[in-house]
Amino acid sequence: MQPRQIAFLVYPDMTLLDLVGPLQVIKNLERFGAFDVVTVGERLEPVPTDVGLGAQPERTFDQVPAPFGLVVPGGLAGPIKAIANDRLMAYVRAAGRSAEVLGSVCTGSIILAAAGLLEGRSATTHWTFLEHLGRLGAVPVRKRWVEDGNVITAAGVSAGIDMALALVARLAGNEVARTIQSLIEYDPEPPLGPIDWRWVEESKLGPALLESVTPSLRELLAGKPELAAKLFP
């Protein structure tokens, strides 16, 4: 049987954990069935990530034109640069339309939405960018991960691991998902407990972050004025 190929998009300035977290989970599918899990990018050369460590894709867009699944990581400046990259967006649009499974982590859903792949679909993203997701035609939902048909999207960064386990359960069953969860020992107990969302709201952390980065993000879309006006009115 031909392996079902799942491609993880690699692009400049993405958040590394958005890629590596779910990739570590889903790569394990190769142990349990006919899956081929690869990373794909515009060129076969390292690109910078938001932690300074480079990431080099295994295949080019031309080598993986129609994967069974496509997973898109996010970031801060990275996704905005990505949606200004016509070649990258053409690949996401084409591969995403034919994929039987479409996933994202954090603001990777902004890329999917900008490609027209989330129109009218329930989806999530990092909590600071939920409104932006809605401006691109998706139906924003504030949850750890959201499934809508063949689309599964995760909230910020570490939520990608949850999304990946849910996707494994869908593709290979709960027992395989539990096995992989055990193999990677994913059983988080953060030292300060769960996020205190009331503190986040009262501290106005989100508005402060967006106010500090919006001018530079708007500049990245200088060549896409309609998109810039939609995302950053």
Side-chain angles (χ1 to χ4, degrees):
M1 188 174 78
Q2 188 73 15
R4 288 178 283 180
Q5 195 168 55
I6 300 176
F8 281 75
L9 185 68
V10 174
Y11 61 92
D13 299 316
M14 64 184 178
T15 291
L16 190 58
L17 186 57
D18 283 11
L19 171 72
V20 175
L23 178 60
Q24 191 72 55
V25 172
I26 293 175
K27 185 71 175 177
N28 276 287
L29 271 176
E30 294 178 347
R31 300 169 180 252
F32 299 98
F35 291 92
D36 178 32
V37 182
V38 300
T39 52
V40 62
E42 194 169 355
R43 290 179 291 276
L44 295 182
E45 58 187 49
V47 298
T49 68
D50 65 357
V51 292
L53 186 66
Q56 182 169 341
E58 302 165 272
R59 312 280 175 83
T60 65
F61 295 157
D62 292 338
Q63 292 173 312
V64 190
F68 167 82
L70 177 66
V71 181
V72 180
L76 186 54
I80 306 305
K81 290 180 181 179
I83 62 179
N85 181 330
D86 290 338
R87 185 157 185 257
L88 183 147
M89 291 302 288
Y91 175 76
V92 170
R93 196 171 289 113
R97 283 176 178 160
S98 64
E100 294 189 41
V101 173
L102 191 58
S104 68
V105 184
C106 193
T107 48
S109 57
I110 297 290
I111 297 175
L112 295 182
L117 299 171
L118 298 184
E119 190 69 34
R121 297 287 195 104
S122 295
T124 192
T125 189
H126 192 279
W127 54 274
T128 55
F129 279 85
L130 275 171
E131 288 187 14
H132 300 75
L133 185 60
R135 292 169 192 160
L136 294 174
V139 179
V141 179
R142 188 164 179 172
K143 288 178 62 178
R144 187 77 171 162
W145 80 92
V146 174
E147 298 185 59
D148 187 337
N150 71 323
V151 178
I152 180 167
T153 55
V157 195
S158 64
I161 298 174
D162 299 58
M163 177 277 291
L165 288 167
L167 181 54
V168 166
R170 176 192 291 196
L171 296 176
N174 290 347
E175 184 175 346
V176 170
R178 288 193 184 99
T179 300
I180 292 175
Q181 181 180 359
S182 301
L183 289 174
I184 66 170
E185 202 167 339
Y186 182 60
D187 192 17
E189 293 184 13
L192 300 181
I195 294 174
D196 183 346
W197 290 110
R198 182 176 177 181
W199 174 86
V200 171
E201 295 291 339
E202 291 177 351
S203 69
K204 302 194 182 302
L205 184 61
L209 172 64
L210 288 174
E211 185 178 352
S212 68
V213 301
T214 292
S216 59
L217 296 182
R218 193 181 284 121
E219 281 184 24
L220 295 175
L221 291 175
K224 307 281 184 182
E226 292 183 6
L227 194 53
K230 186 178 290 186
L231 273 172
F232 306 110

